[in-house]
Amino acid sequence: MLSALAIRDVVLIDRLDLGFAPGLSVLTGETGAGKSILLDALGLALGARADSGLVRHGRDQASVTAEFDPPPGHAVDAVLAEADLDPRDGPLILRRVVTADGRSRAYVNDQPTSVTLLRRLGDALVEIQGQFDQRGLMDPSTHRETLDAFAGLAGKAAAVRAAWTAWRDARARHAEARAALDKARADEAWLRHTVEELDRLAPTEGEEQRLAETRGVLANAEAVLSAMNAAADALAGEDAGADGAVAQAQRALDRVADRAGERLAGALAALDRAAAEIQEAIAELQSAADDIEADSGRLTEIDDRLHALRDVARKHGVEPDDLPALHRATVDRLASLDAEGGGLAALAAAERRARADYLTAAEALSKGRREAAGRLDAAIAAELPPLKLEKARFETAVEPLDETRWGPDGLDAVGFRVATNPGTPPGPLSRIASGGELSRFLLALKVVLAESSTVPTLVFDEVDSGVGGAVAAAVGDRLARLAGRLQVLVVTHSPQVAAQGAHHWHVEKRTDGDSVSTTVAALDSAARREEIARMLSGAAVTAEARAAAGSLLAQSNGARAAGAGQ
């Protein structure tokens, strides 16, 4: 519920701090006193469109702060989580600042946010039913959800949303697989040509690098062989070969080894190793020379192979080393075409099953909506005669949608329609010409829908416009009934409605020199009687008016006491 409202420098309001309680709060005052300014200020905090004209003359900015105390698990918690705002651990505070140049800033629990988010939170917290307000029940997009809530169809609606998601996902998987298969079929000839080409080429891993290295050696074969021969002569030459020198050293040491004890053992072992390494090096040089001589006639062949590898790689936009992987992947794509055909059939069957499941859930929801529509129409019809709308007709239209418009909310379009005159076809709520009639229709709707409402605070702006006497009393009675379940704020000119309030605020415009300001004061029981007497008799309050006011207050107090005792 709305627990507090702080207004600073909004039009005629200089500084105002109001605290609200559960039940029915009424706001009264002379015409032009500024009651509508209060609603405009509240609307700002709820994300309504900002206007620099709302800033009090001579001030730099206006601000409105609204504090709410929604129950744990309320819809606002999900909105906060979706917006990545800190979860609340107490009141929820919405604040709006508008500067004199028309700029606007929004805050939620002192965290900067967007006006759009502020409006989403506001829609979940407060429903303002004004004569020309397009929020709440005046917004046709809310009618389907409202009917579902009235009918207790939350479980069926959730099942439809889940089935829709499953069907959508199955349809997407099927479409994606079909598109991939169609593309593969279209590319089949090219794939086969590619496989044949790569079959003939038969590339291997790392082949380009090996060929390039071999080509580099062969291109410089003469210089390489010359160096290898020089190295071989140095190792095994007849005059000064390393192997001969090592052998000579070994023989010299062998002659005295038995007389040196162990002192020459290390040197002799090292010479043995050197002799073995020299022989291995000579063998490696000989083998390499043989390879070069054997490959000396393959330079053209190697050039042709390198050119073929690089040409095919360039054609397919890959590196030569990637050709083996491309070969395997292309073979796999061809092999999978038939398998994909079988998989596509399975996906198509899964989509058909998901569609059937969605239709089963959605048709059950549609049946529940049609049945609930009749109950809602009957309940509204019972509320209309006491509100002087006995000639009016209310109708809940549940109409099937074309399949292209099916969605997570089911197969139906839901709309609330009214006909205010006999013989005329029903039309949208917004087509009711009289503001007073519209407000009373909305009141009747809210009375019937109160038990299913998730919005804890309702605001009515002059719901009693154009009526008096018994009709005004009926309006007040219904507002009081609503206030037994929800917090209700009403701006009224009717003494019968004002008398029903559990809390009464008086709005007054005061002039102090050149300054005009709007003030709001809470009325005690004596002041309430005086205010209701003024509403009954006008500027001159008579004793008879005071007595009538007392009677109205006594009746409403008695009714509230009886209601509390039930």
Side-chain angles (χ1 to χ4, degrees), residues 96-117:
R96 186 83 172 277
V97 177
V98 181
T99 60
D101 59 6
R103 289 180 296 176
S104 170
R105 299 190 301 276
Y107 303 87
V108 175
N109 286 347
D110 286 332
Q111 300 175 78
T113 187
S114 67
V115 174
T116 300
L117 178 63

Side-chain angles (χ1 to χ4, degrees), residues 160-483:
V160 169
R161 286 192 294 272
W164 167 261
T165 299
W167 179 25
R168 181 195 60 194
D169 293 346
R171 184 169 51 194
R173 288 192 295 270
H174 182 202
E176 183 179 346
R178 176 177 291 281
L181 183 59
D182 289 346
K183 185 178 186 304
R185 294 292 187 197
D187 294 341
E188 186 172 1
W190 178 84
L191 291 172
R192 294 196 182 281
H193 170 76
T194 299
V195 169
E196 291 170 3
E197 180 181 49
L198 292 173
D199 282 344
R200 290 192 301 271
L201 186 64
T204 60
E205 305 287 347
E207 183 179 7
E208 185 203 27
Q209 182 178 354
R210 294 194 302 271
L211 289 172
E213 290 174 354
T214 301
R215 185 186 183 285
V217 171
L218 294 179
N220 297 280
E222 184 177 348
V224 172
L225 284 172
S226 177
M228 291 170 65
N229 289 332
D233 287 341
L235 291 173
E238 294 181 358
D239 296 330
D243 58 337
V246 170
Q248 185 178 356
Q250 285 176 315
R251 289 194 296 272
L253 293 178
D254 283 341
R255 287 196 294 268
V256 297
D258 56 343
R259 287 173 284 175
E262 295 298 321
R263 292 179 179 84
L264 297 179
L268 286 168
L271 287 171
D272 288 342
R273 290 194 299 273
E277 292 290 341
I278 289 170
Q279 290 303 315
E280 184 176 350
I282 292 170
E284 288 290 338
L285 285 170
Q286 184 60 50
S287 176
D290 293 343
D291 288 344
I292 291 174
E293 289 174 356
D295 288 340
S296 58
R298 294 182 57 235
L299 185 58
T300 300
E301 177 187 339
I302 291 171
D303 278 341
D304 290 344
R305 180 64 177 176
L306 277 171
H307 176 76
L309 287 170
R310 290 167 178 171
D311 184 54
V312 172
R314 187 164 47 251
K315 174 181 175 181
H316 292 284
V318 299
E319 294 296 323
D321 283 344
D322 295 330
L323 286 175
L326 174 65
H327 190 190
R328 292 191 296 271
T330 309
V331 170
D332 290 344
R333 285 186 65 188
L334 276 174
S336 68
L337 286 180
D338 291 337
E340 286 179 3
L344 189 67
L347 289 173
E351 181 185 350
R352 289 192 297 271
R353 288 194 299 272
R355 183 182 187 275
D357 291 343
Y358 169 75
L359 282 174
T360 298
E363 286 166 357
L365 178 60
S366 296
K367 180 181 178 182
R369 285 170 173 165
R370 289 190 296 270
E371 293 173 350
R375 298 198 304 274
L376 178 59
D377 294 351
I380 298 297
E383 292 290 333
L384 296 180
L387 297 174
K388 202 178 179 181
L389 293 169
E390 62 277 355
K391 296 181 180 180
R393 186 171 85 257
F394 176 86
E395 175 184 290
T396 304
V398 181
E399 299 176 338
L401 293 169
D402 183 84
E403 183 170 350
T404 58
R405 297 175 61 197
W406 292 355
D409 295 317
L411 315 176
D412 317 299
V414 176
F416 297 151
R417 300 175 182 174
V418 296
T420 53
N421 296 304
T424 59
L429 285 172
S430 58
R431 284 176 50 186
I432 300 178
S434 165
E437 287 182 335
L438 175 59
S439 293
R440 281 177 276 138
F441 251 114
L442 294 175
L443 174 59
L445 270 167
K446 293 312 298 182
V447 168
V448 172
L449 298 171
E451 290 190 15
S452 59
S453 177
T454 59
V455 178
T457 300
L458 296 178
V459 178
F460 288 92
D461 184 11
E462 300 189 8
V463 66
D464 49 18
S465 176
V467 299
V471 177
V475 169
D477 174 67
R478 280 150 180 78
L479 288 169
R481 283 161 52 192
L482 268 179

Side-chain angles (χ1 to χ4, degrees), residues 70-78 88:
H74 189 266
V76 293
D77 293 330
R88 63 185 180 92

Side-chain angles (χ1 to χ4, degrees), residues 478-534:
R478 280 150 180 78
L479 288 169
R481 283 161 52 192
L482 268 179
R485 300 184 179 277
L486 306 168
Q487 181 189 43
V488 180
L489 280 67
V490 59
V491 174
T492 181
H493 289 288
S494 166
Q496 291 90 342
V497 172
Q500 291 285 353
H503 320 283
H504 194 148
W505 301 87
H506 182 250
V507 184
E508 183 179 7
K509 184 164 62 177
R510 294 179 178 177
T511 302
D512 183 9
D514 295 331
S515 175
V516 178
S517 63
T518 291
T519 62
V520 180
L523 303 183
D524 59 19
S525 58
R528 283 194 73 191
R529 189 183 68 166
E530 195 70 13
E531 171 63 5
I532 293 172
R534 178 198 64 77

Side-chain angles (χ1 to χ4, degrees), residues 531-544:
E531 171 63 5
I532 293 172
R534 178 198 64 77
M535 298 171 74
L536 284 166
S537 64
V541 179
T542 63
E544 291 80 2

